[in-house]
Amino acid sequence: MHAIAEFTIIPIGVGVSLSKYVAACEGVLEKSGLLYELHANGTNLEGEWDEVMQAIKSCHEKLHEMGAPRISTIIKMGTRTDREQKMAEKTASVRAKLKSSDSH
Amino acid sequence: MHAIAEFTIIPIGVGVSLSKYVAACEGVLEKSGLLYELHANGTNLEGEWDEVMQAIKSCHEKLHEMGAPRISTIIKMGTRTDREQKMAEKTASVRAKLKSSDSH
Amino acid sequence: MHAIAEFTIIPIGVGVSLSKYVAACEGVLEKSGLLYELHANGTNLEGEWDEVMQAIKSCHEKLHEMGAPRISTIIKMGTRTDREQKMAEKTASVRAKLKSSDSH
Amino acid sequence: MHAIAEFTIIPIGVGVSLSKYVAACEGVLEKSGLLYELHANGTNLEGEWDEVMQAIKSCHEKLHEMGAPRISTIIKMGTRTDREQKMAEKTASVRAKLKSSDSH
């Protein structure tokens, strides 16, 4: 089951600056081989359901190792059986609609 | 890694009434043996990370089988290494704080 | 526009124990007069869109006053125009489906 | 109170293709004058709390007008009092950490 996902990982109890932890998680994703993309409030990634979930779990393990005593993560998981879809197509599809409405 | 989780599963493309699908997912959770609790906007559950994620994946599979062509799920995953915590303690802890502030 | 909402407020930079802050937010909700309900991973509430959003904003303001330098909140907002719905009906509807499937 | 936000709007009961609705919501954001950025699983935006929330509410109103009988939206709201922060700085900060770890 292919999934298009997004997640935001929040280490709790390590102070107010979280970018070091987000960077460590990006390192984990890089090693995972999955397609991923950092944005201002989280990270998009796609792949097989189990691989996506394993990558997010590895981020939790990594951040706990770095000393985060508590972690709260928000995950969006999208799956579909009607057709294959890639992450890049989702924004492309919206942008095509925007463009066509501009021309009217 | 023990996790306290919450998720909301949204089947897309099956019309406006979703309770049949949520009920089917509750059936999946019942079979999983995990501790879970339905609330007005989702379901809390707890257990080992992999078991929790397997249960949510099984809900996606079940709902696709029932004909939902597309599913979007929001998951909150909480883990901690500083101490063990159970789902029931989280509300108990807040309620104790509320009670003590009432007495002042 | 009536909304059924759920939110989880996470103060960042105040250590690992958050129940004091969640309790303060419940105090804010109590004063708001809105219908709300604490659960293990957040709080359900319902009311007019603006009132719901004002209550969540007041929680942010309260927690910043208490010294939280950074706050991250996850909100689910549900609205519908096909019919009126109350929070309590959502779980009732799922439970009715579960019951009817048990009898088969 | 300045907020950095992210949201995903899901119209329910309008079939499986949602890009037309997401595009309409982007049109609403364009008119709002707020800084926003579409990504594969949602939209980042920033501004004053009330303006951000008004924009998201206007998206709900727009999509209901377009015929969506039910809408479910996930919102992440981040506020901080320790310092001002812009959306663009968040990814920049993570990327700086990634770069410095590459050099070791």
Side-chain angles (χ1 to χ4, degrees):
Chain A
M1 190 163 51
H2 186 82
I4 296 186
E6 197 255 358
F7 74 104
T8 303
I9 192 163
I10 306 174
I12 296 168
V14 293
V16 85
S17 178
L18 308 183
S19 56
K20 178 176 76 169
Y21 298 92
V22 176
C25 178
E26 299 296 298
V28 167
L29 297 180
E30 185 60 35
K31 278 178 203 158
S32 76
L34 294 170
L35 189 61
Y36 71 97
E37 192 175 50
L38 181 69
H39 67 79
N41 290 291
T43 300
N44 291 307
L45 78 166
E46 74 173 279
E48 279 301 300
W49 178 289
D50 289 341
E51 289 172 345
V52 165
M53 287 308 198
Q54 179 56 52
I56 298 173
K57 184 188 176 189
S58 297
C59 284
H60 270 244
E61 290 170 336
K62 177 72 178 172
L63 269 55
H64 281 312
E65 276 170 36
M66 290 170 72
R70 188 175 179 178
I71 303 170
S72 189
T73 294
I74 317 308
I75 308 167
K76 296 174 196 155
M77 288 296 275
T79 60
R80 56 196 306 176
T81 51
D82 56 333
R83 64 179 185 87
E84 282 189 47
Q85 189 181 39
K86 299 288 170 195
M87 216 153 73
E89 293 170 62
K90 293 185 75 176
T91 44
S93 178
V94 173
R95 287 197 179 111
K97 300 289 191 302
L98 283 169
K99 215 170 172 179
S100 84
S101 72
D102 281 352
S103 63
H104 294 294
Chain B
M1 190 162 52
H2 186 83
I4 296 184
E6 196 254 0
F7 74 105
T8 303
I9 192 162
I10 305 174
I12 296 168
V14 292
V16 85
S17 178
L18 308 182
S19 55
K20 177 177 77 169
Y21 299 92
V22 176
C25 178
E26 300 295 299
V28 167
L29 297 180
E30 186 59 34
K31 278 178 203 157
S32 76
L34 294 170
L35 188 61
Y36 71 97
E37 191 175 52
L38 180 71
H39 67 80
N41 290 292
T43 301
N44 292 306
L45 79 167
E46 74 173 280
E48 279 302 299
W49 178 289
D50 289 342
E51 290 172 345
V52 165
M53 288 308 199
Q54 180 55 54
I56 297 172
K57 184 187 176 189
S58 298
C59 283
H60 270 244
E61 290 170 336
K62 177 71 179 172
L63 268 55
H64 281 311
E65 276 169 35
M66 289 170 71
R70 188 176 180 178
I71 303 170
S72 189
T73 294
I74 318 308
I75 308 167
K76 297 173 195 157
M77 287 296 275
T79 59
R80 55 195 308 176
T81 52
D82 57 333
R83 65 179 185 86
E84 282 188 47
Q85 189 182 38
K86 298 289 168 193
M87 216 153 73
E89 295 171 60
K90 293 185 75 175
T91 44
S93 178
V94 173
R95 287 195 180 114
K97 301 286 193 304
L98 283 169
K99 214 169 173 180
S100 84
S101 73
D102 280 353
S103 62
H104 294 293
Chain C
M1 191 164 49
H2 186 81
I4 296 185
E6 197 256 358
F7 74 105
T8 303
I9 192 162
I10 306 174
I12 296 168
V14 293
V16 85
S17 178
L18 309 181
S19 55
K20 177 176 77 169
Y21 300 92
V22 176
C25 179
E26 299 296 299
V28 168
L29 298 180
E30 185 60 34
K31 279 177 202 157
S32 76
L34 294 170
L35 188 62
Y36 71 96
E37 191 176 53
L38 180 71
H39 67 79
N41 290 292
T43 301
N44 291 307
L45 78 167
E46 75 173 279
E48 278 302 299
W49 178 290
D50 289 343
E51 290 173 345
V52 165
M53 287 308 198
Q54 180 56 53
I56 297 173
K57 185 188 177 189
S58 297
C59 283
H60 269 244
E61 289 170 336
K62 176 72 178 172
L63 269 53
H64 281 313
E65 276 169 35
M66 290 171 71
R70 187 176 181 179
I71 303 171
S72 188
T73 294
I74 317 307
I75 307 167
K76 296 174 196 158
M77 287 297 274
T79 60
R80 56 197 306 176
T81 52
D82 56 333
R83 64 179 185 88
E84 284 189 46
Q85 189 182 41
K86 300 288 170 194
M87 216 153 71
E89 295 171 59
K90 293 184 75 175
T91 44
S93 179
V94 173
R95 287 197 179 110
K97 300 285 192 307
L98 282 170
K99 214 169 171 179
S100 84
S101 73
D102 280 353
S103 63
H104 293 295
Chain D
M1 191 163 50
H2 186 82
I4 297 185
E6 196 254 0
F7 74 105
T8 303
I9 192 163
I10 306 174
I12 296 168
V14 292
V16 85
S17 179
L18 309 182
S19 55
K20 177 176 76 168
Y21 299 91
V22 176
C25 179
E26 300 296 298
V28 168
L29 297 180
E30 186 60 34
K31 280 178 202 157
S32 76
L34 294 171
L35 188 61
Y36 71 96
E37 193 175 51
L38 180 70
H39 67 80
N41 289 292
T43 301
N44 291 307
L45 79 167
E46 76 172 279
E48 279 301 300
W49 179 290
D50 289 343
E51 290 173 346
V52 166
M53 287 308 198
Q54 180 55 53
I56 297 173
K57 184 187 177 189
S58 298
C59 282
H60 270 244
E61 290 169 337
K62 177 71 178 172
L63 268 54
H64 282 312
E65 276 169 37
M66 290 171 72
R70 186 176 181 179
I71 303 172
S72 188
T73 294
I74 317 307
I75 307 167
K76 296 173 196 159
M77 288 296 275
T79 60
R80 55 196 307 176
T81 52
D82 57 332
R83 65 181 186 85
E84 284 188 46
Q85 189 182 40
K86 299 287 169 196
M87 216 153 72
E89 295 170 59
K90 292 184 75 174
T91 44
S93 179
V94 173
R95 286 197 179 111
K97 301 286 192 304
L98 282 169
K99 215 170 172 180
S100 85
S101 73
D102 280 353
S103 64
H104 294 294

